[in-house]
Amino acid sequence: LDLKAVFEGRASGVVIESALDKGRGQVATVLVQQGTLSKGDYLVCGIQYGRVRALFDETGSQVPQAGPSIPVQVLGLSGVPESGDDFVVVADERLAKDVAQQRDVKRRETRLVAAAGNRMEDIMAQMGEGATQQTLNLVVKADVHGSMQALREALTGLSNEQIRINVIGSGVGGITESDAQLAATSKATVIGFNVRADASARRVIEGNGVDLRYFSI
């Protein structure tokens, strides 16, 4: 089809997969769609930002840059982006941080849907009393994006006539203060899969009586 892409200029593309690596920190596998991504570039990746510390190709070797149609692993982001997020290279770190923060605010507003949920025990008790369909709100965090997506689908699939499972927030990485605030606002249960809550999140969880549960299987 004689397909072509622009090699010159700042890179942009999409996130294929992301994970929290114990040795390397936040790792995002991105596919460059146009331009050239180089080590040292400042980029916005979904609601995350950072400076490219290193690029790795499919063999695990470091490369100085990647052009269109080339997938690479990126190190240096402030957090773990979501699969499907777009990324774009910007002029400097300040601009990258500003854009990421604006995106985060918009995403948080979208997540704060009107939700009337309760703790798991309360819902089980109401189900036993023959009440109408109950809603269980969940915030799910995991160590790998693939696991998080699988958990979302599996949990949502448990909904039936008695209870509706509503995953109002999910992501990769440790449970943060913003996750705890979201759970407290919407009366949600927080589930951590192979991840734990940080100190600031624990303060919010304990102060608001949020239901927190850890799992590794």
Side-chain angles (χ1 to χ4, degrees):
L1 297 175
D2 195 30
L3 301 174
K4 295 179 181 178
V6 179
F7 275 82
E8 297 176 358
R10 293 173 181 158
S12 63
V14 66
V15 178
I16 301 171
E17 177 62 291
S18 58
L20 187 62
D21 189 285
K22 290 181 180 178
R24 299 185 295 174
Q26 294 89 349
V27 180
T29 303
V30 303
L31 179 66
V32 180
Q33 293 175 316
Q34 63 179 10
T36 300
L37 179 64
S38 304
K39 183 179 177 181
D41 283 347
Y42 294 101
L43 76 161
V44 181
C45 201
I47 61 172
Q48 311 299 339
Y49 71 97
R51 188 177 190 183
V52 179
R53 283 195 289 112
L55 296 170
F56 295 90
D57 63 14
E58 71 277 9
T59 66
S61 304
Q62 279 207 50
V63 291
Q65 58 187 28
S69 83
I70 303 298
V72 283
Q73 284 190 325
V74 177
L75 270 60
L77 293 174
S78 58
V80 183
E82 295 186 9
S83 297
D85 279 348
D86 62 333
F87 81 85
V88 61
V89 172
V90 295
D92 53 48
E93 188 173 17
R94 182 179 175 183
L95 178 59
K97 187 175 182 179
D98 288 346
V99 173
Q101 286 177 340
Q102 288 173 19
R103 287 182 175 185
D104 190 24
V105 169
K106 285 185 179 179
R107 187 172 292 187
R108 220 179 284 179
E109 288 173 353
T110 306
R111 286 165 65 185
L112 282 170
V113 292
N118 289 293
R119 293 170 64 89
M120 279 190 187
E121 288 85 353
D122 300 333
I123 288 171
M124 295 303 176
Q126 290 171 19
M127 284 171 60
E129 294 168 3
T132 55
Q133 187 188 44
Q134 301 297 310
T135 299
L136 175 63
N137 293 323
L138 297 176
V139 175
V140 181
K141 296 298 291 285
D143 56 341
V144 179
H145 203 274
S147 298
M148 186 270 290
Q149 287 180 313
L151 284 165
R152 277 193 71 128
E153 291 174 14
L155 289 165
T156 305
L158 293 173
S159 298
N160 54 40
E161 292 178 359
Q162 291 183 304
I163 186 167
R164 182 170 72 90
I165 309 296
N166 185 23
V167 181
I168 60 168
S170 59
V172 177
I175 298 162
T176 63
E177 185 177 359
S178 62
D179 296 323
Q181 293 283 9
L182 175 64
T185 304
S186 53
K187 298 180 181 176
T189 295
V190 181
I191 291 179
F193 183 77
N194 282 334
V195 295
R196 303 189 75 80
D198 61 26
S200 58
R202 285 199 300 271
R203 283 195 294 271
V204 175
I205 287 166
E206 290 166 5
N208 292 275
V210 174
D211 196 4
L212 170 64
R213 310 207 174 201
Y214 292 129
F215 297 93
S216 59
I217 298 176

